[in-house]
């Protein structure tokens, strides 16, 4: 299995530009999570989906952030417009339901730099 | 408010020098506590899930334990390849909360 796939691995953009991060979860997994990691705040859950439906988006910092999951094999996290304080590593993770559903498999992350 | 605190922030050990990492939590309705390992430039890698006080899990040189207020990750006779950041996370009331981690460095 290829694991969770994220693209791009690195993104450098200028303030005000739209940024789209992409994630392909592990086949068969029905939960998908988006996280943001910074030195100051550690790993923060932004939003998670179950069977392509958003369950909890309370971690999304503001309306500039949006996430979609149009099908079981693809999700996007969009920032529009981007700001320097959005610079961080963004991780996508997926897991299976059941008592062990909490075991999350993380992708390699996208390092975002907003100038 | 749900909260996870890890200590120490950083730890340096000599190879073979056993020690423990701490994860203290306050959460309503704990559904599970998790330990992950994160290497530089990579995503976290799952180690253990603990569901109830008194539960213990082991994997090679690592052993995780859980009480009603904290969890310990015991590292026995560590090797340089155990160097990483160890993250603790809890699920309470459908909230996933990660601690900021303990950066472990094991010297040969």
């Amino acid at each position: 299995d290829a694991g969770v796939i994220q693209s791009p691995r690195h993104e450098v953009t200028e303030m005000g530009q739209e940024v789209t991060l992409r994630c392909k979860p592990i086949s068969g997994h029905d939960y998908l999570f988006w996280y943001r990691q910074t030195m100051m705040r550690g790993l923060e859950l932004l939003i998670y989906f179950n069977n392509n439906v958003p369950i909890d988006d309370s971690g999304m910092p503001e309306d500039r952030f949006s996430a979609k999951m149009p099908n079981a094999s693809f999700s996007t996290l969009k920032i529009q417009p981007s700001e320097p304080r959005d610079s961080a590593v963004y991780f996508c993770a997926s897991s299976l339901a059941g008592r062990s559903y909490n075991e999350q498999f993380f992708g390699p992350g996208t390092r975002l730099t907003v100038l | 408010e749900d909260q996870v605190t890890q200590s120490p922030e950083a730890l340096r050990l000599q190879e073979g020098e056993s020690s423990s990492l701490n994860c203290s939590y306050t959460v309503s309705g704990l559904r599970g506590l998790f330990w992950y390992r994160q290497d530089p430039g990579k995503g976290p890698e799952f180690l253990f899930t603990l569901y109830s006080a008194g539960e213990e899990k082991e994997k090679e040189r690592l052993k995780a334990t859980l009480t009603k207020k904290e969890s310990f990750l015991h590292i026995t006779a560590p090797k340089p390849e155990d160097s990483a950041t160890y993250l603790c996370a809890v699920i309470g009331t459908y909230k996933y909360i990660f601690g900021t981690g303990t950066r472990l460095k094991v010297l040969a």
Side-chain angles (χ1 to χ4, degrees), chain A residues 35-38 43 86-91 108-112:
Chain A
Y35 289 90
R36 176 172 67 177
Q37 188 173 42
T38 61
L43 199 61
D86 301 330
S87 297
V89 180
Y90 291 81
F91 288 103
T110 295
R111 181 172 295 277
L112 173 65

Side-chain angles (χ1 to χ4, degrees), chain B:
Chain B
E1 180 183 347
D2 296 346
Q3 193 170 7
V4 176
T5 302
Q6 291 189 247
S7 62
E9 288 187 11
L11 182 63
R12 291 167 68 93
L13 299 173
Q14 292 293 324
E15 183 173 3
E17 180 185 2
S18 300
S19 187
S20 297
L21 313 182
N22 178 263
C23 172
S24 298
Y25 64 91
T26 54
V27 65
S28 55
L30 178 71
R31 299 170 66 197
L33 183 142
F34 318 94
W35 285 97
Y36 286 82
R37 168 191 171 128
Q38 186 174 23
D39 293 299
K42 296 187 176 181
E45 178 184 346
F46 173 80
L47 293 174
F48 304 110
T49 305
L50 302 167
Y51 292 104
S52 57
E55 190 173 359
E56 299 182 352
K57 294 275 181 70
E58 285 189 68
K59 180 180 180 180
E60 296 181 355
R61 295 177 292 282
L62 300 177
K63 179 180 178 180
T65 62
L66 180 64
T67 71
K68 290 186 178 180
K69 294 183 177 181
E70 58 190 350
S71 176
F72 291 94
L73 183 65
H74 306 278
I75 303 177
T76 302
K79 299 181 178 181
E81 53 261 42
D82 294 322
S83 298
T85 295
Y86 290 85
L87 299 169
C88 169
V90 298
I91 296 183
T93 322
Y94 302 99
K95 285 292 187 183
Y96 293 74
I97 306 171
F98 275 80
T100 52
T102 292
R103 296 188 309 279
L104 174 65
K105 178 72 173 178
V106 182
L107 305 172

Side-chain angles (χ1 to χ4, degrees), chain A residues 72-83:
Chain A
S73 59
F74 184 66
S75 177
T76 60
L77 178 67
K78 185 176 293 185
I79 308 173
Q80 166 65 18
S82 58
E83 298 182 2

